[in-house]
Structure formats: structure tokens, C-alpha cells
Amino acid sequence: MISYRIGLLGSAASPALREDNMLAGDEGVGNYGLRDQRRALEWVHSFISDFGGDPSNITLFGVGTGATDVLCHMHSVANETAPLFQRVIVQSPVLELDIPNVSSAGWQFNKLMCAFQAQSVDDLRSVPVEKLVQYTPHVRAVDDGHFFSKGWREALYPTKQESVHDHDTIPELQMFSHHLKSRTPRSGTRSSSHSRSRSRARHTHNTNLYHHHHPPHLQPMMVGDCGAESLLWSGPASHWSATGVVRRIRAICQSLSRSSALLRTYDISSHTPADELPDRVLELINDARFAWPTHCLAATAKRARGGQGVWRYVFDQESPSKGTPHHGVYLQYLFDNVPLQETTSLAPPDTFS
């Protein structure tokens, strides 16, 4: 288990902080949590043989925001010059669509400075750390010109032409996904009706369109999501009215034609029965927040590797407790640590003859 800095202490960045770092002889700014993870990977690479491991056969596996961190490491300058792992597994990535540069990140940092009435970086250092950690910026990574390798955006994010390939509602899914990124999910329950979203989000790009040379530092990758990730949002979704959902989607899309196409695709209207609405909304959320971004990531990663070295999967095995393939269910099967109900009695074999 790796400990690393998060929140403000893990990702704060601004032009003022960058200048302060330069005076201290440190290149770059922000990405402190990612740097901590890199140091941990260096330790693993150096000492894994002492524990019976092989430093030339290391797999990096991340889930959720951890999966996004794995992608950051794979597309880093450090991985390009001194790789510490041979392959990656990216499970249920929480993709950031707008990793900021230093100036953009500085806008949030300046708001923090104002909140603490700090006029300089030194003033901010005088603020008790207990107060600083209560501030949680949305930024986890910063394009500071030092951490990421050249061409990392093209290797992670699809072009506009690629994003609309095979489906006329994809731009709306991406827009809806971008909005959901800032919303806090809640736990809850839902029925198992995720099959329609699986069919909508599973389109295969023609890899013949991609003729890029495979960069040597882009390791082979498995990338996937679960069949019912949106279980996380079942709480708030159960309280939405049909008219409220329609109004919200139209506000997000800011286009009547786009919102209408999205609503038709998921059979949502102002007259959708209240008992059917939550499942339809959760299907939309599932596609927008996880399934389609993960699909785009896999297709783009495959393009960056010349059509090879990427495996896309969907974990559809239901949870023993909730009956759906919800977020995190794969860990139950990976570690086999969930007690199952014991069968009280078994019929003798001849009963089935």
C-alpha cells in the first residue's frame, strides 16, 4: 500500500509556486502526489527481488482515481527515460478531461490565497496545515511542462473526429460526463438493468485508421469498467423527477437537438414513469461517466500503439451482496475476501438422475 500526498498538498500549482520551486532548485510544480507514487515505485523496483519478485516483470494496477494516476505515470517523462513497470491494468478510470496547465491551476490557487488572506507563498506557509488539508481542489495533475512526456494528450484523449465515430450521441455523452465529474456520488441500490448501456457504449474503432508508431515507453495495457458503475449515483437519481431530469440534461447540453437525441437514446421524457426513471438515468450516467470515456481511452491508446497492445474488457460478474456488477466488485473476486452464505443442505446425486 502506497501513501502519497493528496488534495492541496498533493497538487497545488501556480506561477508563484513554480517560481518559488525554481529558487529552491526544483523543476516543475504540482504533481507532488504523483511524485510520491514514483518514489514508491522506485523502491519497489529496487527491492522487489528481495521479496521473491522480478523487477523486470512488474504490473501497475490502479482503480478509479488510482487508474488515472497509472495513466499519468505511463505518459510521464520519467517512464519514457527510466521505466519501472512492464504493463498496466486500468480499472474504472476517473478520467480528467481538462488537466490544467500551471496558469489554469493558478486560478484555483489564487482563490485559496484570497480565502486565507495570504499575499505570498510565505504567507500561505504560515497557515496551519490542519486548515490547508480541509481545502480539496479538483486538480490531481498539472501539465507543468516537466512531468508529462511529449504528445501525452494525443496518446490519452481522442480527437473530435474519433469521438463521434460510430455513434451520433457521443458528444452529448462526453458533455454529460464532464458535468458529472464535479458531482459527489452517494451509495444506494438499483436493479440490475445495465445490459442496454453495455450495448450502447461498446463500439469498436477500426484500427486500420491508426498508423502511428508504437512509442516504446507506452506499455501494454488492459483497460475496463464494471457493468453497473452508476450504482454510486443511485441515491440522488432516485429522487429526481422526470421533468427535472429533462431540464437538467438540456441545461448541460445547451442544445435542444443534442439533448433531444440523448433523451431519445435512453428513453427519457417528461412522461417517463417514476418507477422506470431511476434505471434509465443510471444507464445514462453509467455510459457518460465510465463506459464511454473508458471506451474512448481504449481506442485512443490502441491508436497510439499502432493498433496493438491494448485489451478492453467489461466486468459483468454480479456482486454476491448487491446482485449487480457495481464499482469495486472486482476487488471482491480478486482477493476472495467476501464471505458467502453457506448452503444448508445438498440433495444426493441420485436425485438428479
Side-chain angles (χ1 to χ4, degrees):
M1 186 175 181
I2 296 176
S3 295
Y4 57 93
R5 285 170 285 182
I6 61 175
L8 179 69
L9 302 182
S11 61
S14 74
L17 276 177
R18 179 173 55 189
E19 182 178 349
D20 190 80
N21 285 355
M22 291 177 60
L23 294 175
D26 185 15
E27 289 187 340
V29 65
N31 303 317
Y32 305 112
L34 292 172
R35 294 189 193 184
D36 293 343
Q37 294 172 6
R38 172 73 186 187
R39 292 297 299 271
L41 291 174
E42 291 172 351
W43 188 95
V44 170
H45 190 267
S46 297
F47 296 103
I48 191 173
S49 57
D50 295 338
F51 296 89
D54 182 357
S56 64
N57 190 26
I58 295 176
T59 299
L60 197 57
F61 180 17
V63 176
T65 54
T68 308
D69 291 345
V70 168
L71 294 172
C72 289
H73 287 295
M74 186 165 56
H75 294 87
S76 67
V77 171
N79 185 49
E80 187 174 16
T81 57
L84 299 176
F85 49 90
Q86 283 63 53
R87 65 196 63 83
V88 301
I89 301 175
V90 178
Q91 171 65 52
S92 304
V94 181
L95 297 176
E96 298 292 340
L97 301 179
D98 52 356
I99 292 179
N101 57 26
V102 177
S103 297
S104 298
W107 180 78
Q108 289 195 30
F109 184 80
N110 290 337
K111 290 175 60 178
L112 172 71
M113 296 275 286
C114 293
F116 287 108
Q117 299 181 342
Q119 301 297 321
S120 66
V121 175
D122 286 334
D123 289 344
L124 194 61
R125 288 194 177 102
S126 65
V127 178
V129 68
E130 292 80 9
K131 292 184 178 181
L132 294 178
V133 296
Q134 294 178 7
Y135 179 82
T136 306
H138 296 301
V139 176
R140 282 182 62 88
V142 179
D143 184 10
D144 65 345
H146 293 274
F147 185 87
F148 290 100
S149 60
K150 184 179 179 179
W152 67 273
R153 287 188 185 273
E154 292 78 8
L156 272 178
Y157 304 119
T159 64
K160 183 177 181 181
Q161 289 77 13
E162 293 164 354
S163 68
V164 301
H165 184 71
D166 285 342
H167 204 295
D168 59 355
T169 63
I170 295 311
E172 289 70 48
L173 283 180
Q174 291 184 321
M175 199 175 303
F176 199 80
S177 176
H178 183 71
H179 174 76
L180 287 170
K181 180 177 67 173
S182 62
R183 300 190 63 82
T184 302
R186 304 176 188 175
S187 60
T189 59
R190 65 165 293 194
S191 62
S192 180
S193 62
H194 54 274
S195 58
R196 281 194 293 171
S197 64
R198 300 296 90 197
S199 62
R200 290 193 183 106
R202 296 297 168 263
H203 303 285
T204 303
H205 284 241
N206 182 357
T207 56
N208 292 329
L209 295 174
Y210 310 136
H211 303 288
H212 291 230
H213 175 65
H214 177 186
H217 68 286
L218 294 183
Q219 293 90 340
M221 177 173 67
M222 290 178 58
V223 55
D225 62 327
C226 289
E229 302 270 11
S230 58
L231 179 70
L232 295 166
W233 281 269
S234 59
S238 65
H239 298 294
W240 292 347
S241 65
T243 55
V245 170
V246 171
R247 185 169 59 249
R248 184 167 302 192
I249 290 177
R250 286 176 177 170
I252 294 170
C253 293
Q254 297 182 0
S255 166
L256 184 59
S257 60
R258 289 181 173 182
S259 60
S260 297
L262 196 62
L263 292 167
R264 284 196 305 270
T265 302
Y266 292 88
D267 302 324
I268 298 173
S269 71
S270 299
H271 306 290
T272 300
D275 59 337
E276 298 178 10
L277 180 66
D279 278 343
R280 298 183 188 182
V281 171
L282 290 175
E283 287 175 2
L284 170 55
I285 293 175
N286 198 80
D287 282 357
R289 191 65 186 92
F290 285 97
W292 179 244
T294 302
H295 169 73
C296 287
L297 168 65
T300 307
K302 202 166 187 177
R303 168 182 57 81
R305 291 163 175 77
Q308 299 178 345
V310 176
W311 293 267
R312 172 77 170 100
Y313 67 91
V314 179
F315 194 95
D316 259 352
Q317 182 64 45
E318 295 181 349
S319 163
S321 57
K322 296 184 178 180
T324 59
H326 58 76
H327 184 76
V329 66
Y330 37 82
L331 297 178
Q332 300 178 5
Y333 292 94
L334 177 63
F335 296 107
D336 195 21
N337 59 357
V338 178
L340 302 178
Q341 294 182 352
E342 296 184 2
T343 305
T344 56
S345 62
L346 294 175
D350 58 0
T351 303
F352 301 98
S353 59

